C-alpha cells in the first residue's frame, strides 16, 4: 500500500508517519518540501490548491491522509480567503484527484462545525452550525470531500495536543514555568485528544476499512474544561519533575478572555460509532495525557 500524508510536519502528521509505517510505503508532504529533521519530501502548498492534483497523479497513492489545514482560529476571522483555500478548496481538489484514481481519502475535521450549545456529546448526524470562519471553512471542506465521489473517511476531532508543535499543553508548560498564577477558561467543555491517539486510530481504521465512506468522531473519551485540563497538566508535570513548582490556576469565564473568534461552549463529540465500526478503543483523556507526559519526561532524562 502507498500512503501519502499531507502535513508531515504538523503534530498529527508527524505521528502519522510513525503510525502508518507498518501499512506500507509512506510518503510525506510539507509546505517547504522538507521534514523537520532535514529529510527531503514532497512539496504541497495548500495556499495553491490547484497544484495538489499533479501531486496525487505523480505519487499515485492508494490512500491520501490529509493532516494539513489552516488551524489559526482567530487569524481566520481576518483572513477568511486564505482559510478557505486550505480548509475548503484544497480538500475538494484532493477528493477529485482521489476519485479519479479510486484512492481512499482520509480527511480531518473539527468540533468547531457544531454551535457548541449542546448538552450531550454531538453525534455525527447532529445539525452543524459553525460559530466562525474556521468552523465554516472546515465544514465546507467536509462537504467538498463528500460531493466529489471519492472513497473517504472524515474524522472530526477536537482539542488536539501533543509533545511537539504549538498546542495548549506546551503553552501551559512554558507559561507555568514563568508565572506564579494564571487564569484559564473554565466554561468551555470538551475532550483533550493527543496527536498520537489520532494517528494510531487512523492507522487502525485504514487497516480495518471495508470500502465504506462516512464521517466519524475521533476523540479521546470523557470530558473536562480547559481549566481542568490545565490543572491535570500541572499535576502530572510536577509528579514527573517537568516543573519545579506549579502555578495557581484560577478559573475564569470566556467573557474574561475575549478572542476574535467565538469558541463553542460545549465541544464533546460522541465517539461510539468510531469504536464500534473499527474495533478500536478510544481511552479516557486522562490516559492520553499520561502517555504524552511520560514521553516528555523520557525526553528530558
Amino acid at each position: 500500500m502507498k500512503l501519502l500524508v499531507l502535513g508531515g510536519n504538523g503534530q498529527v502528521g508527524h505521528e502519522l508517519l510513525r503510525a502508518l509505517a507498518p501499512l506500507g510505503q509512506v510518503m510525506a508532504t510539507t509546505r517547504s518540501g522538507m521534514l523537520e529533521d532535514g529529510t527531503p519530501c514532497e512539496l504541497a502548498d495548500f495556499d495553491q490548491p490547484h497544484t495538489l492534483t499533479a501531486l496525487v497523479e505523480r505519487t499515485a497513492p492508494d490512500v491520501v491522509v490529509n493532516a494539513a489545514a489552516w488551524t489559526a482560529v482567530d487569524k481566520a476571522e481576518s483572513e477568511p480567503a486564505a482559510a478557505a483555500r486550505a480548509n475548503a478548496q484544497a480538500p475538494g481538489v484532493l477528493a477529485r484527484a482521489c476519485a479519479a484514481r479510486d484512492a481512499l481519502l482520509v480527511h480531518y475535521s473539527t468540533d468547531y462545525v457544531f454551535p457548541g450549545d449542546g448538552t450531550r456529546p454531538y453525534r455525527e448526524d447532529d445539525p452543524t452550525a459553525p460559530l466562525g470562519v474556521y468552523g465554516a471553512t472546515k465544514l465546507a471542506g467536509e462537504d467538498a470531500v463528500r460531493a466529489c465521489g471519492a472513497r473517504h473517511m472524515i474524522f472530526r476531532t477536537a482539542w488536539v495536543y501533543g509533545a511537539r508543535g504549538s498546542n495548549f499543553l506546551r503553552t501551559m508548560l512554558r507559561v507555568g514555568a514563568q508565572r506564579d498564577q494564571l487564569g484559564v477558561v473554565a466554561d468551555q467543555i470538551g475532550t483533550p485528544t493527543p496527536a498520537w491517539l489520532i494517528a494510531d486510530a487512523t492507522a487502525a481504521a485504514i487497516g480495518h476499512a471495508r470500502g465504506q465512506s462516512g464521517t466519524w468522531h475521533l476523540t479521546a473519551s470523557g470530558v473536562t474544561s480547559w481549566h481542568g485540563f490545565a490543572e491535570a497538566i500541572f499535576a502530572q508535570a510536577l509528579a514527573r519533575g517537568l516543573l519545579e513548582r506549579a502555578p495557581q490556576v484560577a478559573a475564569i469565564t470566556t467573557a474574561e478572555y475575549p478572542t476574535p473568534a467565538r469558541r463553542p461552549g460545549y465541544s464533546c463529540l460522541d465517539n461510539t460509532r468510531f469504536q464500534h465500526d473499527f474495533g478500536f478503543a478510544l481511552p479516557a483523556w486522562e490516559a492520553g495525557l499520561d502517555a504524552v507526559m511520560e514521553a516528555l519526561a523520557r525526553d528530558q532524562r
Side-chain angles (χ1 to χ4, degrees):
M1 186 183 295
K2 294 176 65 177
L3 304 101
L4 180 67
V5 176
L6 297 113
N9 278 340
Q11 54 187 347
V12 174
H14 177 79
E15 294 287 352
L16 282 166
L17 299 184
R18 168 195 58 79
L20 297 178
L23 299 182
Q25 177 189 353
V26 179
M27 302 169 287
T29 82
T30 66
R31 188 167 185 172
S32 66
M34 192 80 68
L35 292 172
E36 287 187 346
D37 64 2
T39 303
C41 66
E42 295 285 346
L43 187 149
D45 186 354
F46 271 53
D47 200 43
Q48 301 184 59
H50 66 279
T51 63
L52 299 175
T53 301
L55 169 67
V56 174
E57 291 175 348
R58 182 176 68 256
T59 56
D62 302 297
V63 181
V64 173
V65 184
N66 179 27
W70 177 292
T71 57
V73 175
D74 290 323
K75 196 175 180 182
E77 295 296 315
S78 59
E79 300 186 34
R85 284 194 293 273
N87 291 344
Q89 296 169 27
V93 171
L94 289 172
R96 287 191 291 275
C98 287
R101 55 172 293 101
D102 193 31
L104 170 67
L105 174 61
V106 177
H107 177 69
Y108 297 101
S109 190
T110 173
D111 55 309
Y112 276 56
V113 301
F114 294 110
D117 57 357
T119 57
R120 57 147 176 84
Y122 285 102
R123 301 186 189 86
E124 287 82 354
D125 56 357
D126 281 332
T128 53
L131 298 178
V133 171
Y134 169 70
T137 59
K138 291 297 288 184
L139 181 59
E142 290 187 12
D143 291 339
V145 169
R146 297 188 189 102
C148 290
R151 291 186 294 120
H152 65 268
M153 294 177 173
I154 297 172
F155 296 144
R156 292 179 182 144
T157 189
W159 292 30
V160 181
Y161 71 97
R164 61 185 304 282
S166 176
N167 56 66
F168 182 81
L169 177 142
R170 288 172 57 86
T171 298
M172 288 298 101
L173 291 178
R174 184 184 72 251
V175 174
Q178 300 168 347
R179 296 168 57 179
D180 294 326
Q181 56 185 3
L182 65 153
V184 180
V185 171
D187 59 355
Q188 293 176 24
I189 306 300
T191 307
T193 303
W196 69 260
L197 177 60
I198 296 170
D200 286 0
T202 298
I206 293 172
H208 195 279
R210 296 188 177 91
Q212 73 270 45
S213 291
T215 301
W216 292 265
H217 288 170
L218 172 47
T219 66
S221 299
V223 57
T224 190
S225 65
W226 289 115
H227 177 267
F229 188 26
E231 288 198 314
I233 290 168
F234 290 133
Q236 291 220 22
L238 274 178
R240 288 184 161 83
L242 295 170
L243 289 177
E244 294 182 359
R245 56 171 179 77
Q248 292 184 334
V249 186
I252 64 173
T253 65
T254 299
E256 293 176 273
Y257 190 74
T259 56
R262 291 175 62 195
R263 263 68 173 175
Y266 184 88
S267 282
C268 296
L269 302 180
D270 187 330
N271 60 24
T272 304
R273 181 182 293 179
F274 186 98
Q275 297 188 82
H276 175 269
D277 287 356
F278 300 115
F280 187 92
L282 293 166
W285 70 266
E286 295 95 335
L289 175 61
D290 184 74
V292 173
M293 298 300 282
E294 181 59 30
L296 285 172
R298 283 198 307 269
D299 289 344
Q300 291 201 6
R301 287 174 191 150

